Structure formats: C-alpha cells, structure tokens
Amino acid sequence: MMRLGSRRTGASLVEVIIAVTLFGFLGAGVVTMVGATYANQILASALVSARAYALEAAAAVDSIREQGFNQLTLTQSGVEFSGGRWRFRGEGSSDTLGPYARQVTLAGVARDSSGQIVPLGTPGSAEDTRTKAVTVRVTWTIGIIPYELALTRYATDGRARAWVQTDW
C-alpha cells in the first residue's frame, strides 16, 4: 500500500535506458567527429608535403632551364641535385622521398594567332619551340587510397630574341 506523503527516489528503468541511449549517441558522434578530424589532418599534412615536393621539382626545372633551355629535351624524368646543381635523372625515370613518388613531364606547346598557349595540333596554331609545358606529378598512398597532385607550369627560353625587321 502506498502512502500519500511518500516520494520515490532514484530513476526508473525507462529513464535509465533513455539516458544510456542519449549518451551512447553523443559518444558515437564525438568519436566519429574526432576520427574524421584526425583523417583530415593526415590528408592535409600529406598534401602540404606533396605540394612542397612538387614545387621543389618545378624550381629544379627552372634551374635546369637557366643552365640552358636546350637541356629541356626529355619527355619524362625525375630530378636530382648532384654536383652542386639540378639535373634530370634520365628518360622514363622518377624519384621518391618517403611515400611520395615524383615525375616531371615536358611537352611542347603551340600558340594561336593571338599568342595564347594552346595544345599542339590545335587548328590555326603554330608550335612554340621556345616554350615547354612542365607538369610535375606527385603520387602517394594513405592506407589503401592512392592520391595524386599535379602542377603545370611553362618554361620559356627567355634568352632567345625574336628578330623583327623594321627598315622596310
């Protein structure tokens, strides 16, 4: 028999189940959020390292171009610093640093009638023998997921002068 003035203390079974369920969802959400943040941080760090590795190769190609534009004859190569200067490793080669593999690709370009760079073979364009498209491709894997970063720049023979006849 229940008395009119008494109060029950403690939580009912339903209240306990609801509280445990809410804390379970909250905990799962926090764990998921922390895990995703950690994964994003790893990827961001890898992207920064890959970009630095690619920019180093782009600077190496600039250095090789300064040594002589005629050295930009390969189509695909790695780069290395040897004997106090940058050089290409050889046709078809690449270079690695930890999990990163890097390869430099050189390709000819053309210019249209307005002087804009266009792909070779574009109708109405002419090959620009003093400009090369330089693409640096860095690949790496995190876990089982492969990633790739590609940077494209243009190397121009700045020492060459176009001769224009002015005394017609």
Side-chain angles (χ1 to χ4, degrees):
M1 177 176 210
M2 196 180 213
R3 292 191 204 153
L4 287 176
S6 73
R7 297 181 124 201
R8 292 185 328 171
T9 59
S12 72
L13 182 59
V14 173
E15 291 171 330
V16 170
I17 291 172
I18 290 173
V20 168
T21 303
L22 287 176
F23 281 120
F25 283 131
L26 180 64
V30 168
V31 168
T32 301
M33 186 172 59
V34 169
T37 302
Y38 180 70
N40 286 338
Q41 186 177 12
I42 289 173
L43 180 57
S45 175
L47 281 170
V48 167
S49 297
R51 183 165 172 78
Y53 197 42
L55 289 173
E56 179 187 56
V61 172
D62 286 344
S63 176
I64 294 168
R65 177 188 49 87
E66 287 296 318
Q67 295 168 31
F69 187 78
N70 61 344
Q71 293 186 39
L72 303 181
T73 58
L74 302 175
T75 57
Q76 185 175 330
S77 178
V79 292
E80 67 183 1
F81 193 74
S82 175
R85 57 189 226 177
W86 286 100
R87 68 178 192 86
F88 289 115
R89 296 176 60 100
E91 187 66 49
S93 65
S94 63
D95 48 289
T96 59
L97 177 66
Y100 304 99
R102 173 176 70 187
Q103 194 165 55
V104 176
T105 304
L106 301 170
V109 299
R111 293 193 184 262
D112 63 14
S113 59
S114 66
Q116 297 298 313
I117 293 176
V118 295
L120 278 176
T122 302
S125 67
E127 183 176 3
D128 182 351
T129 58
R130 295 179 292 168
T131 303
K132 297 277 187 179
V134 178
T135 301
V136 180
R137 193 170 315 281
V138 178
T139 58
W140 72 99
T141 302
I142 298 176
I144 60 170
I145 303 172
Y147 292 93
E148 180 178 296
L149 173 80
L151 299 177
T152 300
R153 295 182 169 190
Y154 295 98
T156 302
D157 186 3
R159 296 180 190 164
R161 301 284 185 239
W163 182 79
V164 179
Q165 184 171 352
T166 59
D167 61 343
W168 288 95

